[in-house]
Amino acid sequence: RATASSTRFLFCWLASSQQQMVVKTDVCAYSGLRIYPGHGIFYVRADQKSFKFINRKSKSQFLQRLNPRKIAWTQLYRRMHKKGTMEESTRKKTRKVSKTTNKAVVGMTLDVIKAKRSQKPEVRAAAREAALREIKERNKAKQAAKKAEQKTKAPPQKQQMPKSKASKASGKPKGVRR
């Protein structure tokens, strides 16, 4: 049978059980593991720098100056070699959605771009072919103008004198050049 005091006690107990107790933990200076209150070894060096170790093994390896990045069971090693990060990495792989915005380009306004985009492919292809034909005709006209100009401006050709053996002999002596 429940009395008023027992009901009050039960209510208070239920309310307090829903709150989580916060425990202040330290981190091992060598292994990176959590040290709970009442555990661990506190070491103070001669230069007054203090370190807290989880156990004698961690303290011993720290004093031997062994690198925790090379010891497989330490947190530094695990972090360096990406061990145990599978859950975190799958959460982080959310795709970033790229938002596309239409902006005007230097030569065209946004209205012109939208009009070109809404054109049918056949119309666009015909316009492209017409532009290419026009460019080709312009190039042909330029080439024809160049040829006509070259014909009117033909330079007189120099007459070459036949080379004689006498002129070769009077030149530089043959031999190995060093």
Side-chain angles (χ1 to χ4, degrees):
R1 124 180 173 211
T3 61
S5 64
S6 66
T7 328
R8 196 178 315 126
F9 171 77
L10 184 63
F11 177 75
C12 291
W13 180 76
L14 284 171
S16 65
S17 67
Q18 289 173 351
Q19 295 175 349
Q20 294 251 326
M21 193 171 89
V22 179
V23 179
K24 187 174 187 257
T25 58
D26 292 322
V27 178
C28 178
Y30 184 77
S31 67
L33 298 170
R34 263 185 278 168
I35 305 170
Y36 289 93
H39 295 267
I41 301 167
F42 198 70
Y43 172 72
V44 182
R45 219 166 34 191
D47 64 350
Q48 297 178 350
K49 189 160 189 209
S50 56
F51 302 94
K52 192 145 191 186
F53 302 105
I54 194 159
N55 54 17
R56 194 165 48 182
K57 177 182 176 182
S58 294
K59 181 183 172 189
S60 171
Q61 291 192 340
F62 176 81
L63 293 173
Q64 291 175 49
R65 296 182 182 274
L66 295 178
N67 190 351
R69 289 167 189 83
K70 293 181 182 178
I71 309 297
W73 54 270
T74 62
Q75 290 299 315
L76 279 169
Y77 176 91
R78 291 181 66 78
R79 205 173 295 131
M80 206 168 122
H81 293 85
K82 296 180 176 71
K83 305 286 183 189
T85 56
M86 294 303 285
E87 301 87 28
E88 294 172 19
S89 64
T90 55
R91 244 186 294 132
K92 286 180 184 175
K93 283 186 180 177
T94 56
R95 281 185 90 194
K96 291 182 180 176
V97 179
S98 60
K99 296 177 183 175
T100 56
T101 56
N102 294 332
K103 293 182 180 177
V105 187
V106 174
M108 298 181 188
T109 63
L110 192 59
D111 298 330
V112 175
I113 293 172
K114 284 182 180 177
K116 282 201 175 192
R117 191 174 286 165
S118 64
Q119 278 181 347
K120 289 186 177 179
E122 299 88 29
V123 176
R124 207 178 301 149
R128 187 181 305 122
E129 286 175 17
L132 286 173
R133 258 188 261 119
E134 186 184 329
I135 291 170
K136 284 181 182 177
E137 287 172 7
R138 253 190 267 142
N139 285 341
K140 282 183 182 177
K142 278 185 186 177
Q143 292 292 334
K146 265 189 184 178
K147 284 185 180 179
E149 194 177 304
Q150 284 178 354
K151 285 182 181 177
T152 58
K153 195 181 175 186
Q157 292 184 349
K158 294 181 184 175
Q159 289 185 357
Q160 292 181 346
M161 296 179 80
K163 293 183 181 177
S164 62
K165 290 182 181 179
S167 63
K168 276 189 179 179
S170 63
K172 293 182 184 174
K174 283 189 174 177
V176 180
R177 193 172 190 190
R178 292 186 189 167

